Each structure stands twice: as structure tokens, then as C-alpha cells.
Amino acid sequence: MELINSNWDELEGHWADLKRQRDYFAKHNGRLEVQGHEAKVHAVGWSCCGTKLATGSFDRTVSLYNVDNEAVKVVANCKGHDESVDQLCWHPHNQNLLITASTDKTVKMWDARINRCVHTKTTKGENINVTWSPDGKSIAIGNKDDLITFIDAESFEIVKEHSCKIEVNEISWNRCSDLFFMSNGHGCIDILRYPDLEFVQSLKAHPANCICLKFDLTGKYFATGSADALVSLWDTDELVCLKTFSRLDWPVRTVSFSFDSRLLASGSEDLSIDISHIQTGEHVAEVTCNAPTFAVAWSPNKPLLAFACDDKDKHDRDAGTVQIYGLSSRK
């Protein structure tokens, strides 16, 4: 496996870090399961401070949780959407605000201090993706008709729309919020300049549908997951692929970087989540699952991984649960 850096001192450091990560998760492979919904969970996200967690569900609700060390508690189940909540995103700097996107053709902003919706905007289609720019000024929503709607975060008014001719999947800004990235059904990453939305470049990332796209917290890397069962790691500045991860067998639905950009988690229809070491590309840990994974999300400041699967209860009904991995093994 090729490493990202070629300096020998750095290489030794990377291999040493790989061992530390493996040792850590050998002792911290415990998990906690919390039920927050009555149907399957589609979206999982952490607040910027890492003390709050949110989930969106097919049951049309948004659940909020407090996370205190190794304790997770449901504090609210928020109603307001009329259809499935397919995606959510917290404000990058405000720990109390989050956005949800629903197939009911609305986008809602919630305040976690009062557990209520504070803004609603009706859009033109069934919304399935949402992202908040790192500078906190803009929100983008993608719908099933491949229309991207841009909303001013302060006024909560629509300021731009961008229609795409091909299937658009996950969307995101770069760290500087001046470039907008879109993964698409042709296996490419299309890059637009923001806010003028001028086309910059199209990267051929995969030979099959490029399903998911995530940046690390530093903005140095982004990762893509595809229907070809591969995960690709990219350098944001150079726009070159650094390596691929091929430990999954089914289309990759969701990826997430750890807070320190050392680890990459990937979920699919495989009955396991792969955790890989960024610098060496080596395997660190495997999180076994009983069902396909819908969403994975690392905490922004701790080695804790939240994830949601298509789990069933003992009566074969949707479990509506979220799980946290990375707890001390005694849990």
C-alpha cells in the first residue's frame, strides 16, 4: 500500500500511529445503542462541539441526543416534516442550529436549545441532500430532480438555483467555501466556483455511480464512495487521487473522517463498517453490523463513531436506533 508521504521519518511516524490506533480500538470496541425513532434512521450528525447528536428518520421526525462521555440520552423527538427526513446538517460553528432536508419538499432549521423548528422553506422538489458551507453563510439542498437550491443562512431565503442534467448525489463546499463539489451518477466530481456557480472542473473519480462525498475537518482531504464498492481519497489542493480503499464488497453509501483526519469510516450493504488509516491505507478496525449501513459520522472531537443501519427489532419492525462505537470495551 502506497503511503501519502515519502519522508522516512514521517513514514515511521505513520506506521507507529497505525499501531496506536489499532491498540486503541482493540480496547475501545464497545458500543451503545439508543432508540430515537419508530422507523429506520436515514441521517446522523454531530454538533460542532460534539456534545449533541441528531438523527433523521423515515418516521418524519428529528431526534436530538445529549452525549456526555460514554452516556447518550434522547432529549427530544421533533415533529414538523410531513415525509421522510433523509438528510441533516449542523451549523459549522453554532452548536444549537441544524438543518433537515425532507421529501416533503421543505427544508427546516431547528434550534436545539428549545427543540423546535425556527425556519421553514418550501422548495421545488423532494429533498434528499443538504450541506452547510464551512463559513456558515450558505446552505445547499439537493432534490430528486437534481436541482440544487442555495439558501442564505441568515435570511433563510433562496438566493440561487442550479439545475443539473445528470444525477447528483452528495454535495459539499471546500474549506474556504469558494468551491462547490457535487458527486454524480457518472462517477465524477463536478466542481463549481461559488457563489457565481461557474464550472471549474470535472474529476473522474470512479467507473460507476459516485454516491457519497465528504471533506475532512481541515479541508486537506475529501473522500468519495461509489457503486463500484471503492472509496477514494483525494488531495483537495492538487485534486489528485491519493489512494483507494477496497475492503467493502457492496456499493459505498456513506463515508466520514475522524476529527484528527487520521481515520476514514466507510459503510455499505456489507454487514460491517470499515475503519481505515488515512496515511498508510491499512485496516484499523471493523464494526460488525446486522444490516446494511445508512449513515456513519465521526464525532468532531473524540474517537467516537455514530452510525445507523437498517436494523430490525425482535418483531421484524424497524428498530429506529442509532449506535455509538468506540466506547471502552467494558461497555
Side-chain angles (χ1 to χ4, degrees):
M1 178 71 70
E2 183 181 356
L3 284 81
I4 292 177
N5 298 295
S6 58
N7 180 282
W8 281 109
D9 290 337
E10 288 182 340
L11 295 185
E12 289 182 359
H14 297 328
W15 287 108
D17 182 64
L18 172 63
K19 183 180 185 304
R20 285 193 296 270
Q21 299 290 345
R22 285 174 170 172
D23 290 346
Y24 179 86
F25 285 104
K27 298 177 181 178
H28 294 79
N29 56 19
R31 66 177 75 187
L32 182 66
E33 185 175 44
V34 183
Q35 182 176 16
H37 298 275
E38 296 179 353
K40 63 185 66 176
V41 176
H42 285 170
V44 178
W46 296 83
S47 66
C48 60
C49 62
T51 59
K52 294 182 174 71
L53 188 70
T55 53
S57 169
F58 187 73
D59 69 3
R60 308 178 182 183
T61 69
V62 181
S63 285
L64 302 176
Y65 312 74
N66 280 342
V67 182
D68 183 13
N69 292 323
E70 295 195 349
V72 182
K73 180 182 179 180
V74 180
V75 294
N77 184 250
C78 305
K79 299 179 180 179
H81 282 295
D82 295 325
E83 297 293 342
S84 172
V85 181
D86 277 6
Q87 192 57 271
L88 62 84
C89 184
W90 289 85
H91 190 290
H93 313 300
N94 187 327
Q95 63 178 341
N96 297 307
L97 297 180
L98 71 149
I99 293 290
T100 55
S102 171
T103 52
D104 67 3
K105 300 184 179 180
T106 69
V107 181
K108 292 181 181 291
M109 180 184 290
W110 307 81
D111 189 328
R113 292 168 296 189
I114 57 176
N115 302 324
R116 291 181 182 177
C117 174
V118 292
H119 292 293
T120 299
K121 179 59 63 177
T122 300
T123 60
K124 293 181 178 179
E126 298 179 34
N127 302 308
I128 54 175
N129 279 302
V130 64
T131 186
W132 211 316
S133 62
D135 63 12
K137 296 179 179 179
S138 303
I139 298 161
I141 306 96
N143 69 25
K144 289 184 177 180
D145 297 320
D146 306 311
L147 177 71
I148 311 298
T149 301
F150 295 90
I151 293 178
D152 178 87
E154 184 174 358
S155 67
F156 215 66
E157 295 295 331
I158 296 173
V159 293
K160 287 179 181 291
E161 290 180 340
H162 180 76
S163 181
C164 303
K165 297 180 180 180
I166 57 177
E167 175 187 341
V168 173
N169 296 311
E170 203 152 10
I171 53 180
S172 182
W173 275 275
N174 66 340
R175 183 66 181 172
C176 297
S177 303
D178 60 356
L179 293 175
F180 190 74
F181 289 63
M182 304 179 292
S183 61
N184 69 37
H186 290 176
C188 296
I189 304 296
D190 288 339
I191 306 172
L192 306 179
R193 203 175 310 281
Y194 191 82
D196 56 30
L197 301 182
E198 291 184 2
F199 177 79
V200 175
Q201 189 173 349
S202 183
L203 305 174
K204 185 61 176 177
H206 296 270
N209 190 342
C210 191
I211 299 171
C212 52
L213 164 71
K214 277 292 187 300
F215 281 81
D216 77 322
L217 289 179
T218 69
K220 181 178 180 180
Y221 304 120
F222 67 89
T224 59
S226 170
D228 63 9
L230 294 177
V231 176
S232 298
L233 178 70
W234 293 75
D235 181 294
T236 304
D237 291 334
E238 300 297 330
L239 295 178
V240 294
C241 181
L242 300 172
K243 59 165 59 73
T244 58
F245 304 87
S246 57
R247 277 181 282 273
L248 298 174
D249 295 321
W250 291 88
V252 181
R253 294 176 172 178
T254 174
V255 294
S256 179
F257 286 92
S258 62
F259 71 99
D260 53 9
S261 302
R262 294 179 177 179
L263 304 174
L264 181 64
S266 309
S268 70
E269 293 182 35
D270 291 71
L271 300 184
S272 64
I273 297 168
D274 177 65
I275 299 178
S276 294
H277 191 248
I278 294 296
Q279 292 292 341
T280 65
E282 294 294 319
H283 175 72
V284 172
E286 180 181 79
V287 185
T288 57
C289 308
N290 295 320
T293 304
F294 286 125
V296 296
W298 284 104
S299 163
N301 51 25
K302 295 179 181 178
L304 295 176
L305 181 71
F307 64 96
C309 301
D310 190 14
D311 288 322
K312 305 295 182 182
D313 64 16
K314 62 182 180 180
H315 303 293
D316 200 34
R317 297 175 299 201
D318 290 341
T321 57
V322 61
Q323 297 189 53
I324 309 292
Y325 171 85
L327 307 178
S328 58
S329 300
R330 59 182 173 82
K331 287 287 180 180

